Amino acid sequence: MTEVKQSHPPGLAVLFMAEMWERFSYYGMRALLTLYCAATLFAQDPDPEASAYAIYGSYTALVYLTPLFGGMLADRVLGFRKAVMLGGILMAVGHFVMAFEHEQIFYLALAFIIVGNGFFKPNISSIVGRLYDEGDKRRDAGYTIFYMGINLGAFLSPIACGYLGENVGWHWGFGLAGVGMLAGLAQFYYGKKHLEGKAEPPDPEALAKATPLGVSREWAVYIGAFASVFVFWWLVQQHKLVSVVLIVLAVGSIAFIAGYAITKCEKVQAQRLVVAAILIAFSVVFWAFFEQAGSSLNIFARDYVDLSLAPISTWEMPVSWTQSFNSMFILLFGIPFSVMWITLARKDLEPSIPMKFGLGIFQVGIGFICLWYGAHIMPEDSKVGLIWLVLGYMFHTTGELCVSPVGLSMVTKLAPQQITGFVMGMWFLFTAFANNLAAIIAGFTTGDDVGAAAGVMAYGNVFWVIAMLAFGFGVFVSLISPLLKRWMHGVT
């Protein structure tokens, strides 16, 4: 049995802090996005929430789509460190541009963040995996700790950015998110020595070679990245087209993985890659339900949840603060989960990665049962108790701890090293697909102004359907997990 070491590489702390600040910027802006769009950009639309969900769905889908390309460019050209720096710069520009009040400038800001995230997100996650040797039992724990950095930033940002956005001005909140991004960039740049050279370009000499454009391959990537911002500025406004693009790319990526497994891999490696692809596909179910948080659950909290601390106090929290609940529970449960996985691994009792996925999907269903029940028992002329929203987020969080950090680690374990960045990008591509699907699901909660009782039941009915689907998929994944475990050939 592989010895379980106790300490983690020093580079993990660097990546923890850089990702914490980057997520501060992302979730600070996300907490305000649907509220801002519904209250300002689309206030005159017949159904402002539906319009807000469409933009939110396009934006979040594209944010998770671009890592597919950013991962490939890092694998083949830039290397992980340079890709992360480029992504951080683009995202910082986007957050500060968002501080200006103009609709088309707002879309341009979203485009900068979308492109920047494509270079930042998959590659900083891949660096975490590179810090550990193959078979190192600390890797899952390392990813859980890294995931806590994500959620520390995600916990603080809705409180800080949300308060400024809702009480001072929307664009003050967006501007503060930009400050967080600059802090993350500085942390990563000054801590690069602790990465031990494991994030450098795959071929530095090839990176410096000239291209037909008259610049090096490295600068060609930089110029192309900035030019692509204008493509995404247009695309973020085309929700239906985004859906089509995601379907085409998802099918294409599956075809690529199948071809690679057949032509480039021996049997064990091929079966491991197939398991990775299957679990990535099932992650769509989890994320499509989980990502109701920034769309339908945000508006549900605004319109139908009692946000006071009654009976302790009549003070009502800002709506955006509810976006911190998930991250709060990550911070509370992250270390216990990390310790639990290590303890179970020592006793050879740890659930397999596929079983963890099944458990995660099932738990998100429990969360929606809590939300449905809160809506179901709401007294007439009253609001849903805050406790039901809190419980919903709590079960979503325990499910997330079984899927997200485990999924990131799974990619680095099962994917061949030559295409780790691509498969990590594929993880985010299917998350993009899920976010787009989440916006479509959220649309079923909107409609005519029918009053509080009918309105809350419209949400409750959607929550019930989501819960039943989650239970069904969770059980199915758990049932096939022994087969998938065999195809992993000893990877845990």
Side-chain angles (χ1 to χ4, degrees):
M1 182 181 292
T2 304
E3 181 183 357
V4 180
K5 301 177 182 178
Q6 298 300 315
S7 61
H8 289 275
L12 182 63
V14 174
L15 301 176
F16 176 98
M17 293 299 296
E19 181 73 347
M20 181 198 76
W21 282 114
E22 186 272 330
R23 291 290 90 180
F24 177 95
S25 69
Y26 175 79
Y27 282 101
M29 187 276 287
R30 196 193 80 158
L32 296 171
L33 186 56
T34 52
L35 299 174
Y36 168 73
C37 287
T40 59
L41 290 185
F42 308 121
Q44 304 305 316
D45 286 11
D47 192 345
E49 285 75 26
S51 300
Y53 292 161
I55 288 296
Y56 178 84
S58 294
Y59 165 69
T60 53
L62 292 171
V63 154
Y64 285 102
L65 168 64
T66 50
L68 181 67
F69 306 105
M72 291 174 63
L73 287 168
D75 275 340
R76 300 181 181 184
V77 185
L78 281 184
F80 296 138
R81 180 179 60 82
K82 289 179 181 289
V84 168
M85 284 300 300
L86 171 61
I89 291 168
L90 288 165
M91 293 174 76
V93 171
H95 284 295
F96 284 117
V97 168
M98 193 172 286
F100 296 94
E101 298 188 27
H102 187 279
E103 182 176 348
Q104 291 303 318
I105 291 178
F106 175 76
Y107 294 138
L108 183 64
L110 293 181
F112 269 106
I113 297 170
I114 287 165
V115 177
N117 187 79
F119 285 98
F120 192 100
K121 188 65 179 172
N123 297 312
I124 197 168
S125 299
S126 294
I127 296 172
V128 176
R130 291 285 177 90
L131 296 178
Y132 300 90
D133 296 330
E134 186 174 352
D136 193 329
K137 292 289 187 180
R138 299 174 299 165
R139 188 179 300 197
D140 275 3
Y143 268 106
T144 299
I145 293 170
F146 175 73
Y147 208 67
M148 288 187 68
I150 293 174
N151 286 279
L152 180 58
F155 171 72
L156 296 172
S157 57
I159 295 173
C161 299
Y163 179 82
L164 281 179
E166 291 190 61
N167 294 281
V168 180
W170 296 109
H171 297 279
W172 283 92
F174 293 141
L176 181 59
V179 174
M181 190 65 247
L182 287 181
L185 265 178
Q187 178 68 40
F188 185 79
Y189 178 79
Y190 289 108
K192 61 185 178 182
K193 64 181 179 181
H194 296 297
L195 303 181
E196 303 172 358
K198 295 180 179 179
E200 296 308 303
D203 189 344
E205 293 183 3
L207 187 62
K209 286 183 178 179
T211 66
L213 297 174
V215 298
S216 67
R217 294 180 71 191
E218 180 176 356
W219 275 98
V221 173
Y222 297 156
I223 293 169
F226 276 88
S228 69
V229 167
F230 295 96
V231 176
F232 285 97
W233 163 77
W234 173 76
L235 198 57
V236 75
Q237 303 175 61
Q238 312 296 323
H239 181 64
K240 292 182 179 178
L241 180 59
V242 169
S243 300
V244 174
V245 169
L246 288 170
I247 292 171
V248 171
L249 289 174
V251 172
S253 66
I254 291 173
F256 174 83
I257 289 295
Y260 192 94
I262 293 169
T263 62
K264 302 288 187 180
C265 300
E266 44 82 28
K267 180 180 177 181
V268 170
Q269 192 178 53
Q271 289 186 342
R272 286 175 174 173
L273 185 56
V274 168
V275 172
I278 290 172
L279 292 179
I280 287 172
F282 275 115
S283 73
V284 170
V285 178
F286 178 84
W287 292 119
F289 299 157
F290 179 89
E291 287 296 342
Q292 296 302 305
S295 54
S296 64
L297 291 187
N298 215 7
I299 301 299
F300 178 69
R302 184 195 69 182
D303 293 344
Y304 300 114
V305 176
D306 180 2
L307 296 177
S308 72
L309 301 182
I312 300 173
S313 171
T314 58
W315 173 80
E316 290 194 0
M317 69 177 70
V319 177
S320 54
W321 285 20
T322 64
Q323 297 293 292
S324 287
F325 292 167
N326 166 243
S327 303
M328 174 185 70
F329 285 120
I330 290 283
L331 296 173
L332 289 174
F333 299 150
I335 291 296
F337 265 71
S338 178
V339 172
M340 178 178 69
W341 298 142
I342 292 178
T343 302
L344 291 173
R346 287 174 178 160
K347 299 178 179 180
D348 291 326
L349 295 175
E350 184 180 12
S352 66
I353 292 173
M355 179 60 75
K356 289 178 183 177
F357 269 63
L359 292 171
I361 296 171
F362 194 87
Q363 286 172 87
V364 83
I366 297 176
F368 276 103
I369 282 292
C370 293
L371 292 163
W372 165 80
Y373 186 72
H376 183 71
I377 65 169
M378 185 190 82
E380 191 172 350
D381 299 324
S382 184
K383 286 192 170 185
V384 176
L386 181 60
I387 184 62
W388 301 110
L389 185 66
V390 173
L391 286 173
Y393 274 114
M394 185 186 75
F395 283 109
H396 291 180
T397 302
T398 56
E400 183 185 7
L401 284 167
C402 291
V403 173
S404 191
V406 174
L408 293 172
S409 180
M410 174 271 295
V411 168
T412 64
K413 290 176 178 179
L414 296 179
Q417 187 169 355
Q418 296 85 351
I419 59 167
T420 299
F422 176 84
V423 180
M424 188 67 76
M426 185 177 171
W427 169 267
F428 291 111
L429 166 64
F430 276 73
T431 305
F433 186 83
N435 274 268
N436 191 65
L437 182 58
I440 295 171
I441 294 170
F444 287 105
T445 64
T446 68
D448 298 330
D449 185 5
V450 292
V456 78
M457 283 314 300
Y459 278 91
N461 291 337
V462 173
F463 295 158
W464 173 263
V465 172
I466 290 174
M468 294 303 103
L469 290 171
F471 290 153
F473 278 107
V475 170
F476 178 73
V477 175
S478 299
L479 290 174
I480 67 170
S481 64
L483 171 63
L484 298 180
K485 181 180 179 181
R486 285 200 297 273
W487 280 18
M488 291 165 63
H489 297 281
V491 171
T492 58

